[in-house]
Amino acid sequence: MNLIEHFIDGKITKGSSKKTSKVFNPATGEQTAEVNLASKSDVDSAIEKAQKAFANWSIKPPAQRARIIFKFKELIEKNSDEIIKLIVSEHGKVYEDAKGSLTRGLEVVEFACGIPHLLKGEFTENVGTDVDSWSIRQPLGVCAGITPFNFPAMVPMWMFPLAIACGNTFVLKPSEKDPSCAIKLAQLFKEAGLPNGVFNVVNGDKEAVDALLTNKNIAAISFVGSTPIAKYIYENAAKNEKRVQALGGAKNHCVVMPDCDLDQAVNGLMGAAYGSAGERCMAQSVAVAVGKIGDGLVNKLAKKVESLKVGPGLDKNSEMGPLVTKAHLEKVKNYVDIGVQEGAKLVVDGRNIKLQGYEKGFYMGGCLFDNVEKKMRIYKEEIFGPVLSVVRVKDFNAAVKLINEHEFGNGTSIYTRDGDVGRTFASNIKIGMVGINIPIPVPVAYHSFGGWKKSLFGDQHMHGLEGVRFYTKLKTITSKWPKGLASDPEFVMPTLN
Ligand code: NAD
């Protein structure tokens, strides 16, 4: 059995622990590898190497760092087919979707290539007579990233390219469910000329995460995953005096207004609810049907959900692949059972599909619920599978109220032809990322990604200028050069006049 290890100090490194976890190909249900789970001492050793590498990397001119990152971008492009196939083989999503996610990660690498410009500080001549002042942003030290299973390339790439461009060194702990992609990216970064120890990957579970949280040489932690773990990371990183951004789960609502182009809304919802089998933090899992649009929306959706092409990710005809693990498949199916018990109307039931030749794969078809209510668990909780709930409300204000009262606040969209409605929605909604006639409003790399409420703990979003701020600290220098005679001591607060 293929054993996946760690990447520390520029090379594949064996872990000291005997603990492993199984890695599956969700399309076939077969185990394809074991991944070693790092012990605390493995993690500490990766941090030590990263700490050593920081001394030289942090003083390397940003333009030189940018050249290595540019080379890294070229190597990702050259090796994209291999990386995409790694994503498909361990996560299950379809090839084109995996390709799209890699491209979105690559955009952050492209953004990081502009680091000499992004790190330019501010300068004021004569803040007082003959006194100048300037502000610079300096790297933090060793930063850590802890990432979820659903985007094995893109989510780590929200973090490490920018952190490293800013002059930090990095230890990434990817999801143990699909660990191969991170190792491949680390190998390519080394090939691009990145010095040993600047980017390290440790595979592991809670033990590795706790080792990152408690090691005094970790300066900052970026986390993406479910809300309970995000909260745990936020609290424990802060307790150990680390800077932290912890992105959590989601329940995204798509408002369908009576005046919208219904076909456009239905197509948008299909991709946003069932793409990647619903395993996206920006998946639209609730359609809010406003006024009279409900029946038309449900009828059109039902036809499309019934004809969704479910199959292995490498089959060009598949629109939706399997779920990541058998356990997750059972969890999602169980939510559908709960929805039925709670009294929601199951319009399309995808629980029992069987795929010839792939009987052991972790597949289910799309499910569609109508008449879902606010009190139901299928409305309140994140299902993270191909299950779309339709909630009917009487008007626009009721839709806004519903969304604002939900505990999650990652993304939302509205379909309407009325500009004023779209604008009012964007202004009043308590959500971090908003789409107007856009089904999945994931910000591009030079804007920033992040939710509100229980979808993000911390102050700064990922990538864009927020990312640069997160991975650097501000220093302001005030300076005066003597003009000959020494001045008398001053015992009052200097006002620089
Ligand atoms: P998860 O929270 O189970 O795992 C995320 C990471 O935390 C993994 O690296 C995992 O090894 C680690 N982890 C798991 N349990 C832990 C514990 N008890 N202590 C310490 N570390 C632990 O999430 P997942 O199932 O891998 O990913 C799906 C979740 O991620 C969904 O909730 C989804 O919404 C969320 N997500 C959010 C965003 C966002 O931007 N807000 C993006 C992608 C995914």
Side-chain angles (χ1 to χ4, degrees):
M1 185 62 65
N2 175 24
L3 182 64
I4 301 163
E5 300 275 4
H6 318 284
F7 188 91
I8 299 173
D9 204 23
K11 53 183 179 300
I12 299 287
T13 306
K14 266 181 108 56
S16 65
S17 126
K18 296 245 166 335
K19 262 196 317 179
T20 60
S21 177
K22 291 177 180 172
V23 178
F24 291 90
N25 179 346
T28 59
E30 280 161 9
Q31 187 188 346
T32 51
E34 295 268 337
V35 57
N36 185 257
L37 302 175
S39 64
K40 181 177 181 324
S41 71
D42 296 330
V43 176
D44 288 345
S45 131
I47 297 169
E48 197 188 316
K49 303 291 183 198
Q51 179 78 10
K52 278 205 182 110
F54 180 73
N56 285 332
W57 182 249
S58 56
I59 56 168
K60 207 173 185 57
Q64 288 183 25
R65 298 201 292 254
R67 280 184 204 124
I68 295 172
I69 297 165
F70 197 86
K71 185 83 193 142
F72 179 47
K73 166 189 145 58
E74 287 178 336
L75 286 172
I76 294 173
E77 283 163 345
K78 202 168 131 201
N79 291 273
S80 62
D81 183 61
E82 185 185 340
I83 301 169
I84 295 163
K85 283 182 177 149
L86 281 178
I87 300 172
V88 175
S89 67
E90 291 182 355
H91 175 277
K93 62 180 80 182
V94 300
Y95 185 94
E96 286 302 317
D97 184 33
K99 187 175 170 185
S101 71
L102 180 64
T103 306
R104 296 309 296 265
L106 197 57
E107 286 171 7
V108 183
V109 180
E110 287 165 355
F111 178 70
C113 288
I115 200 66
H117 182 74
L118 294 167
L119 285 182
K120 278 195 310 192
E122 293 173 331
F123 189 96
T124 309
E125 187 184 31
N126 282 335
V127 290
T129 307
D130 295 335
V131 178
D132 302 326
S133 189
W134 68 96
S135 301
I136 55 174
R137 300 206 73 98
Q138 294 190 318
L140 308 174
V142 185
C143 300
I146 302 157
T147 52
F149 77 82
N150 65 322
F151 284 110
M154 184 183 82
V155 170
M157 288 162 91
W158 285 351
M159 304 170 179
F160 74 84
L162 202 50
I164 287 172
C166 288
N168 302 287
T169 55
F170 205 89
V171 179
L172 171 68
K173 206 265 349 134
S175 169
E176 62 277 34
K177 295 186 181 118
D178 42 17
S180 296
C181 203
I183 299 275
K184 181 71 196 171
L185 291 171
Q187 287 169 324
L188 292 178
F189 218 165
K190 179 185 160 103
E191 196 183 327
L194 194 73
N196 291 345
V198 176
F199 182 42
N200 309 276
V201 179
V202 287
N203 286 304
D205 57 7
K206 182 170 167 37
E207 182 178 346
V209 171
D210 287 343
L212 291 168
L213 285 168
T214 50
N215 189 302
K216 68 175 178 17
N217 288 327
I218 291 288
I221 299 210
S222 299
F223 172 87
V224 175
S226 60
T227 288
I229 312 296
K231 191 159 184 286
Y232 172 80
I233 301 284
Y234 180 66
E235 289 171 353
N236 285 281
K239 196 163 98 189
N240 291 304
E241 299 167 13
K242 300 180 192 316
R243 190 176 283 205
V244 58
Q245 50 181 185
L247 278 61
K251 193 84 181 174
N252 305 312
H253 297 64
C254 178
V255 178
V256 184
M257 293 297 292
D259 71 330
C260 77
D261 177 332
L262 188 55
D263 288 327
Q264 198 189 45
V266 167
N267 286 339
L269 265 168
M270 284 303 298
Y274 302 102
S276 200
E279 292 170 327
R280 287 186 187 138
C281 64
M282 287 294 274
Q284 297 284 7
S285 49
V286 181
V288 185
V290 177
K292 286 195 226 127
I293 199 101
D295 289 344
L297 175 69
V298 171
N299 290 341
K300 281 189 184 244
L301 278 171
K303 284 200 189 88
K304 295 218 175 206
V305 181
E306 273 160 5
S307 57
L308 254 179
K309 295 191 191 98
V310 181
L314 289 178
D315 182 336
K316 285 207 160 50
N317 293 318
S318 304
E319 292 170 326
M320 190 174 100
L323 282 104
V324 68
T325 56
K326 193 164 195 313
H328 189 58
L329 174 69
E330 295 310 326
K331 182 178 158 193
V332 174
K333 284 186 178 173
N334 188 42
Y335 265 114
V336 181
D337 299 343
I338 291 170
V340 173
Q341 286 154 23
E342 286 177 317
K345 183 176 171 198
L346 186 57
V347 182
V348 183
D349 182 359
R351 280 175 293 185
N352 297 315
I353 64 155
K354 285 270 167 292
L355 256 76
Q356 216 179 3
Y358 295 93
E359 287 79 3
K360 294 204 171 123
F362 311 139
Y363 300 94
M364 67 181 282
C367 293
L368 178 66
F369 277 112
D370 192 7
N371 299 330
V372 173
E373 290 172 21
K374 211 176 153 183
K375 60 178 193 289
M376 296 177 179
R377 278 185 64 195
I378 58 161
Y379 173 74
K380 291 195 279 200
E381 297 171 21
E382 182 182 42
I383 299 175
F384 222 56
V387 183
L388 176 62
S389 296
V390 178
V391 179
R392 296 180 183 230
V393 297
K394 68 174 189 318
D395 57 21
F396 173 74
N397 289 338
V400 170
K401 185 168 182 289
L402 180 80
I403 298 170
N404 284 349
E405 284 175 359
H406 204 287
E407 65 170 351
F408 292 118
N410 216 36
T412 188
S413 288
I414 187 164
Y415 276 87
T416 179
R417 285 192 172 100
D418 185 328
D420 179 48
V421 165
R423 190 176 182 282
T424 305
F425 182 74
S427 284
N428 295 353
I429 211 73
K430 293 189 176 117
I431 302 285
M433 294 169 282
V434 182
I436 301 171
N437 299 316
I438 297 286
I440 312 176
V442 175
V444 290
Y446 40 96
H447 285 259
S448 301
F449 184 107
W452 286 15
K453 298 186 270 183
K454 291 226 161 80
S455 295
L456 189 151
F457 301 91
D459 307 309
Q460 253 132 11
H461 290 198
M462 299 254 164
H463 60 71
L465 290 179
E466 291 265 288
V468 176
R469 281 184 213 112
F470 182 77
Y471 290 122
T472 54
K473 57 192 166 198
L474 188 70
K475 183 182 277 179
T476 305
I477 300 125
T478 307
S479 134
K480 178 180 182 177
W481 290 97
K483 276 195 185 286
L485 289 177
S487 48
D488 293 334
E490 288 180 17
F491 299 99
V492 294
M493 183 70 192
T495 53
L496 296 177
N497 291 318

